Amino acid sequence: MTLKKFACRFVASCLLIGGITVVLPAENIQLAPTVQAAGQNSYAIDSYTKEIQQNPKDAKAYFNRGLMYCGEQDDKAVADFSMVIKLEPNNIRGYLHRGIAYRNLGKYDKAVKDFDKVISMEPQNALNYINRGLAYYYAKNYDKARADYNHALKNDTPYDSSLEKNLANQGIKINLNPHNAAQAYYGLGLIDYDEKNYKAALENFNKALKDAENYLIYESRAECYKMLGDNAKAKADLKKAEELRRAEKAMIDSIEDSVMSNIEAEIEDDD
């Protein structure tokens, strides 16, 4: 895979996960992540490594390489994001993504500490509370997770993606979930599910689906219906989830093709 091809796949993945976080499954509900960017792409990692070798103080190169490692080699991602923070102590994205890497590694206390820092620097962003809430959730600190999700709901604002606008200007249309509410309600539903409060979980999954149609939410709601003995509705949700899985894959492929076409056209124009 060429670096350009990889970049398109990575952009498509980031579009679907909002660039920061994604609706994630509960431990009790064995689900696959929505999208996995090709973080292990050796070409991209080698490219950023060469940039770092040429300029060991290039914070941007460390950050980009950290993104490539994140999700696959999170220990290396932590090291790179730590370098970003060392070089730029006020780099909020360094703390944010290191927190995500720590969370992936199961180091929830360290993740929470980084998210605390992010929230202190950007307290108005509801998504920061969702990220911390997820760390609390995985640590089974349900009370604090609930508090963060509820705070996110009270301070929810429309999601404004400059990347989405830029792609639209190039004729590439993509519909991102405009609110963080879906992720907050989904997080609350996962807590209720773990606590075996299936009716409450069902209510929160229903609220999440009002803001975003995501196959993970349908799969989670199907599990609730199963626990409540409604197998017909569970079957219908699983069918809908599979339809959304296929649609998502088709959308990623379409975005990738569109971006590649635009890149190729620009190359031809330059020639």
Side-chain angles (χ1 to χ4, degrees):
M1 182 183 290
T2 66
L3 181 58
K4 289 176 183 175
K5 190 76 170 177
F6 164 76
C8 293
R9 173 63 68 174
F10 186 73
V11 166
S13 299
C14 286
L15 281 171
L16 291 176
I17 64 174
I20 295 178
T21 192
V22 64
V23 178
L24 294 173
E27 293 176 5
N28 297 15
I29 309 173
Q30 297 299 320
L31 306 175
T34 305
V35 176
Q36 282 192 342
Q40 281 293 89
N41 186 278
S42 59
Y43 188 98
I45 291 173
D46 289 346
S47 176
Y48 292 128
T49 299
K50 288 178 182 177
E51 290 182 20
I52 291 168
Q53 290 171 345
Q54 293 171 1
N55 181 6
K57 294 186 178 181
D58 188 344
K60 184 176 180 180
Y62 280 111
F63 180 81
N64 287 332
R65 190 175 68 175
L67 290 180
M68 300 302 101
Y69 285 133
C70 203
E72 295 291 341
Q73 297 186 68
D74 288 290
D75 54 338
K76 292 184 178 180
V78 165
D80 276 352
F81 294 135
S82 294
M83 279 300 301
V84 172
I85 293 167
K86 181 179 180 180
L87 293 167
E88 299 179 355
N90 294 319
N91 190 313
I92 188 170
R93 296 180 70 202
Y95 286 104
L96 173 63
H97 288 276
R98 189 175 70 173
I100 292 171
Y102 274 136
R103 191 177 64 200
N104 292 342
L105 290 168
K107 298 181 179 181
Y108 304 122
D109 288 344
K110 290 185 176 181
V112 166
K113 186 176 180 180
D114 275 349
F115 293 138
D116 285 345
K117 180 68 173 181
V118 172
I119 288 171
S120 72
M121 298 169 74
E122 196 181 54
Q124 75 281 6
N125 190 338
L127 196 54
N128 294 334
Y129 294 89
I130 292 172
N131 270 305
R132 189 175 67 178
L134 187 57
Y136 281 133
Y137 167 75
Y138 280 132
K140 299 187 184 303
N141 192 334
Y142 294 147
D143 287 343
K144 288 189 175 180
R146 280 187 189 279
D148 272 350
Y149 289 137
N150 284 322
H151 182 94
L153 287 171
K154 291 178 182 178
N155 295 275
D156 187 31
T157 54
Y159 179 73
D160 181 19
S161 170
S162 59
L163 182 58
E164 179 183 359
K165 293 176 181 177
N166 290 337
L167 289 175
N169 291 335
Q170 299 178 48
I172 303 168
K173 296 181 179 180
I174 181 69
N175 182 25
L176 291 174
N177 174 34
H179 297 284
N180 300 314
Q183 296 192 73
Y185 279 123
Y186 185 63
L188 291 170
L190 295 180
I191 295 171
D192 290 328
Y193 183 92
D194 278 6
E195 293 181 337
K196 303 186 187 305
N197 191 350
Y198 302 119
K199 289 185 178 179
L202 184 64
E203 182 179 348
N204 277 312
F205 291 147
N206 287 338
K207 290 178 180 178
L209 286 170
K210 289 182 180 179
D211 281 301
E213 281 210 328
N214 182 288
Y215 72 80
L216 287 176
I217 305 175
Y218 277 104
E219 288 178 344
S220 298
R221 193 174 71 171
E223 293 298 322
C224 276
Y225 280 134
K226 286 181 183 179
M227 300 306 295
L228 292 169
D230 196 334
N231 292 325
K233 288 184 178 180
K235 185 177 180 180
D237 270 2
L238 290 175
K239 181 180 179 181
K240 179 65 175 180
E242 182 57 30
E243 291 174 357
L244 290 174
R245 278 180 184 269
R246 291 196 298 266
E248 181 180 281
K249 183 180 183 303
M251 182 167 58
I252 292 174
D253 291 341
S254 176
I255 294 169
E256 180 181 306
D257 291 341
S258 296
V259 173
M260 280 302 298
S261 295
N262 279 277
I263 290 175
E264 291 169 357
E266 289 179 7
I267 292 173
E268 290 177 0
D269 289 342
D270 290 341
D271 293 341

